[in-house]
Amino acid sequence: MRQLLYRSLSQLQVPRALSWANRRKIVILMYHGFTDSPAHTGVENFQGLHLHVDMFQAHLEYLRNHFSIISLETLMDHYLHGRTLPPNPVVVTMDDGFRSNYTLAFPLLRKYQVPATIFLATAFVDEKRHQWADRVEYAVDHATPDALAALSAEYATDGNPGLSRGGSLVQLKARLKSIPQEQRAAIVEAIEDRLACSLLTAPEIPAIYQPLEWSEIEEMRGTGLVSFGNHTVSHFILSRCTPEVVREELSVAKRVIEERTGAPCPLFCYPNGARGDFDARTRDIVQEVGHMCALTTVAGFNDARSDVYGLKRVGVLNGQSFADFVMTVAGVVPWSMKVGDALRTAGIWN
């Protein structure tokens, strides 16, 4: 049904009209990792954070033909120094520091000469300390059915232990997100022990979970196409941390990136980054530590009046069609949501 609607809107030239209307809006795209696997088994890449590289190539080709791709630094020059931006500006960003940013995405960035910013969680890159969500995903994927069923029943959030690995994974992640951060590491370790599976001790780390190497980061930086920003040390949700922990997470990661790359690190991205994951207090510390911007995961476009410490982004997930991408970056998806809300308010559409 959605694809049929998109075809109808395309025939009516709605995307082109909205793209023109939004030509002064700034689109910041948010990617994570990439994959070249036609399909993942089990619950690997269950949330779709790792986009197929062929789809990424299609995105870049489309953006080159219909948008003005700029670097995040160019955008900040606009906000801080009044630099004029071209029409329909779009920025490419990637979160966390997955190795596929280098092995799969970087060759395409170089082919199409597209600038990008990669935000590094330094414990992941520098210490090979995988994030808790990936560890839980791996453990659930490799656990025996009996061990998983017992654990899922214990951690169920809605009384239903979950009948599939996917259901169990969703239940576990929802429960773990509600647990105080200082307790989560120990609980994740306990889950790995219960399931007798750990990404930290796996004989072979699956490609989608591997972090970047500093040599790869330096190679990308040397081309002038890729810059690197701060995504904290441990990927903590900052609004749940004390000011002391926030300051340490930011300052230590910033120092590590600067020492390893030999370049300043003024760019920052909030971990998780949804509303409530950052606040006025964390914003002040981000600025105090020496960052000139902060990106969120709050969906939307930006304009000349946007707060540089609360920039919105457009998330991209595996499983979304190319039409989904085109309609989103053109502004059709948020426009259609507004139209739907207006019709429901008027009682025309339920």
Side-chain angles (χ1 to χ4, degrees):
M1 178 65 74
R2 185 173 68 233
Q3 301 306 315
L4 178 62
L5 173 62
Y6 286 168
R7 283 198 294 272
S8 299
L9 292 175
S10 295
Q11 291 172 354
L12 294 171
Q13 301 294 309
V14 171
R16 180 175 294 183
L18 281 176
S19 185
W20 183 86
N22 290 328
R23 66 193 182 281
R24 299 302 175 197
K25 299 288 187 180
I26 301 151
V27 181
I28 305 179
L29 294 172
M30 175 181 61
Y31 297 90
H32 286 79
F34 300 87
T35 179
D36 57 2
S37 297
H40 290 268
T41 60
V43 295
E44 187 176 273
N45 200 24
F46 188 74
Q47 293 181 292
L49 291 181
H50 303 267
L51 181 72
H52 197 280
V53 66
D54 291 347
M55 184 63 78
F56 185 55
Q57 179 167 358
H59 289 182
L60 295 184
E61 289 178 348
Y62 181 81
L63 294 173
R64 290 280 291 178
N65 290 329
H66 299 280
F67 285 78
S68 301
I69 307 176
I70 63 172
S71 67
L72 184 54
E73 290 84 351
T74 296
L75 177 58
M76 294 317 302
D77 200 22
H78 162 72
Y79 279 122
L80 300 179
H81 307 294
R83 177 172 178 169
T84 301
L85 294 179
N88 298 112
V90 62
V91 176
V92 175
T93 67
M94 303 170 191
D95 287 5
D96 300 332
F98 290 101
R99 188 164 186 254
S100 57
N101 293 174
Y102 171 78
T103 58
L104 297 176
F106 178 53
L108 293 175
L109 296 177
R110 192 162 46 187
K111 176 181 179 179
Y112 294 102
Q113 289 295 290
V114 170
T117 296
I118 300 175
F119 291 98
L120 303 175
T122 57
F124 180 42
V125 175
D126 201 44
E127 305 171 31
K128 313 307 179 193
R129 202 193 318 160
H130 296 270
Q131 295 178 25
W132 72 266
D134 287 343
R135 291 170 61 182
V136 171
E137 182 175 281
Y138 179 87
V140 168
D141 199 29
H142 291 80
T144 65
D146 289 345
L148 182 59
L151 185 74
S152 181
E154 180 179 334
Y155 279 87
T157 55
D158 58 2
N160 183 349
L163 301 179
S164 66
R165 289 186 187 269
S168 297
L169 179 62
V170 170
Q171 297 261 7
L172 281 170
K173 284 188 174 181
R175 178 73 178 274
L176 285 166
K177 282 186 177 181
S178 68
I179 291 172
Q181 289 184 143
E182 59 272 18
Q183 301 174 19
R184 188 180 297 140
I187 295 175
V188 170
E189 288 182 10
I191 288 172
E192 291 171 326
D193 289 342
R194 287 274 301 277
L195 298 180
C197 301
S198 174
L199 187 58
L200 302 182
T201 58
E204 184 177 353
I205 306 297
I208 67 167
Y209 300 129
Q210 294 176 9
L212 281 164
E213 300 289 343
W214 287 110
S215 59
E216 296 163 346
I217 290 170
E218 184 55 32
E219 181 183 340
M220 288 189 283
R221 195 184 72 81
T223 65
L225 281 175
V226 185
S227 60
F228 295 89
N230 186 352
H231 202 35
T232 74
V233 174
S234 310
H235 205 271
F236 286 165
I237 296 176
L238 298 183
S239 62
R240 301 183 188 178
C241 299
T242 65
E244 293 75 21
V245 170
V246 173
R247 194 169 287 105
E248 181 177 11
E249 282 284 315
L250 270 60
S251 59
V252 171
K254 186 174 188 293
R255 183 177 69 249
V256 168
I257 294 169
E258 290 177 341
E259 289 176 351
R260 287 289 197 163
T261 64
C265 181
L267 309 173
F268 178 74
C269 173
Y270 294 108
N272 215 53
R275 297 189 190 278
D277 295 336
F278 56 94
D279 51 30
R281 181 197 58 161
T282 57
R283 179 194 190 281
D284 290 344
I285 298 175
V286 169
Q287 188 173 14
E288 171 194 317
V289 168
H291 298 97
M292 63 183 181
C293 67
L295 278 59
T296 73
T297 64
V298 177
F301 297 166
N302 302 283
D303 57 29
R305 297 168 295 177
S306 295
D307 177 8
V308 295
Y309 291 97
L311 293 171
K312 297 177 181 178
R313 290 192 289 176
V314 174
V316 183
L317 297 175
N318 201 44
Q320 293 176 331
S321 70
F322 181 69
D324 288 327
F325 176 77
V326 170
M327 293 294 165
T328 300
V329 296
V332 172
V333 172
W335 170 80
S336 63
M337 291 174 66
K338 289 181 180 179
V339 171
D341 289 343
L343 292 174
R344 280 188 288 271
T345 300
I348 300 174
W349 181 34
N350 293 322

